[in-house]
Amino acid sequence: MVTYPIEGACQCGGVTYQLLAEPQMVLACHCKECQKLSTSAFSLTAVVRTQDIVFQGEMREWLRKAESGNTNGARFCPGCGNRIYHFNPDQPDTIKLKPANLSDTRIIQPQAHVWVSEKQDWFTIPEGVKSFDKQP
């Protein structure tokens, strides 16, 4: 059983945080942008209520437009460059945590795979896990 809070930190330790409660959902995104971000087949995201996480340390911000027209923001450590989370400025109550830097990673079990229209051919989505061609 996972107990909260769970500690998290970037590679250099310049940004630390505490996740206070279970994520609303964990997703694996296979879009080309997430493949670039992760330098792998997909990127993991834990959808978290803003009130359920506390950050310490300086972060920098980068913004881009998503296919939907929404702004996709990212916050990252200026020291090591680790991406900490994504956000939509129009949805301030939710962030998209990059959970691989948690001290306890048992919560990283994707409940859905998104943007499978861009996934790597060699990766097989596990049976019984929801998948969507784009963003649901």
Side-chain angles (χ1 to χ4, degrees), residues 4 19 22-29 42-48 97-100 102 105-114 129-130:
Y4 293 88
L19 179 60
E22 182 178 358
Q24 295 173 319
M25 179 180 294
V26 177
L27 303 169
C29 182
F42 54 86
S43 178
L44 296 166
T45 297
V47 179
V48 176
L97 182 68
K98 307 315 286 177
L102 288 166
T105 56
R106 289 179 290 169
I107 67 163
I108 305 176
Q109 296 184 28
Q111 295 147 324
H113 288 253
V114 298
V129 178
K130 293 178 190 174

Side-chain angles (χ1 to χ4, degrees), residues 21-127:
E22 182 178 358
Q24 295 173 319
M25 179 180 294
V26 177
L27 303 169
C29 182
H30 297 263
C31 78
K32 295 297 182 192
E33 291 298 320
C34 281
Q35 290 179 38
K36 288 178 188 179
L37 163 68
S38 67
T39 68
S40 188
F42 54 86
S43 178
L44 296 166
T45 297
V47 179
V48 176
R49 294 182 308 170
T50 305
Q51 69 188 33
D52 291 340
I53 196 160
V54 178
F55 295 100
Q56 294 85 33
E58 176 192 355
M59 286 188 264
R60 292 229 173 106
E61 185 172 289
W62 178 70
L63 303 171
R64 73 173 176 86
K65 286 288 181 191
E67 182 182 275
S68 64
N70 291 333
T71 298
N72 188 5
R75 296 241 167 93
F76 60 94
C77 173
C80 65
N82 260 161
R83 191 76 58 101
I84 305 299
Y85 68 92
H86 290 178
F87 67 97
N88 178 341
D90 295 331
Q91 298 175 338
D93 295 335
T94 304
I95 65 166
K96 300 167 197 158
L97 182 68
K98 307 315 286 177
N101 53 27
L102 288 166
S103 60
D104 183 346
T105 56
R106 289 179 290 169
I107 67 163
I108 305 176
Q109 296 184 28
Q111 295 147 324
H113 288 253
V114 298
W115 282 95
V116 297
S117 59
E118 296 184 2
K119 82 172 187 62
Q120 295 291 317
D121 289 339
W122 57 264
F123 182 79
T124 303
I125 294 172
E127 271 191 51

